[in-house]
Amino acid sequence: MDGRDHKGVGEWLFARPLEWRLAVQVVAIDPLAAFRKALRMWLPRTAVAVDHFHLISLANQAVTETRQNLSQQVKGRRGRAADKAWAYRMLLLCGGDQLSPEGSPPARGSVRC
């Protein structure tokens, strides 16, 4: 599908057969407003859910922004790699396959998460 606006998404949905559109019950999407707008126009009775990737991405972004704000307020500076908050951030961003059996990330300087 070309474009990331509601018109491009709407054109793609309109090109699908009516039977197909009527059969759609749930859509997992990128939380972009244009996608929601097109779905509300063309699939108004369809339940909308945010896909796993974007949900985790938004949660990580919120945690990062909170950590940055707190570091600025408490320390008056940006966070540094030696700060515990940074280590915890890396733990949250680390894939499960990169964690040790104890649940800690790889040693500093080895594989990055």
Side-chain angles (χ1 to χ4, degrees):
M1 174 189 64
D2 293 331
R4 290 182 55 88
D5 61 6
H6 77 280
K7 290 180 184 176
V9 176
E11 288 172 4
W12 185 87
L13 287 169
F14 182 71
R16 308 285 73 87
L18 178 60
E19 299 80 31
W20 181 90
R21 285 184 275 151
L22 292 174
V24 176
Q25 296 178 4
V26 178
V27 177
I29 63 167
D30 173 335
L32 187 68
F35 292 164
R36 288 191 313 269
K37 182 175 181 179
L39 287 171
R40 290 292 148 240
M41 289 174 60
W42 293 101
L43 302 173
R45 296 183 182 143
T46 303
V48 177
V50 176
D51 66 83
H52 182 261
F53 171 82
H54 288 95
L55 185 63
I56 298 300
S57 177
L58 288 170
N60 280 332
Q61 181 180 349
V63 169
T64 294
E65 289 172 6
T66 300
R67 179 188 49 79
Q68 289 172 340
N69 290 338
L70 284 172
S71 179
Q72 188 65 39
Q73 289 174 10
V74 172
K75 298 179 181 185
R77 61 171 172 81
R78 293 180 60 186
R80 297 187 179 134
D83 294 341
K84 284 186 178 184
W86 182 263
Y88 292 134
R89 173 186 178 267
M90 293 312 297
L91 180 62
L92 288 171
L93 295 176
C94 194
D97 60 332
Q98 297 291 319
L99 295 174
S100 71
E102 297 80 34
S104 58
R108 192 162 179 206
S110 63
V111 178
R112 292 201 39 119
C113 299

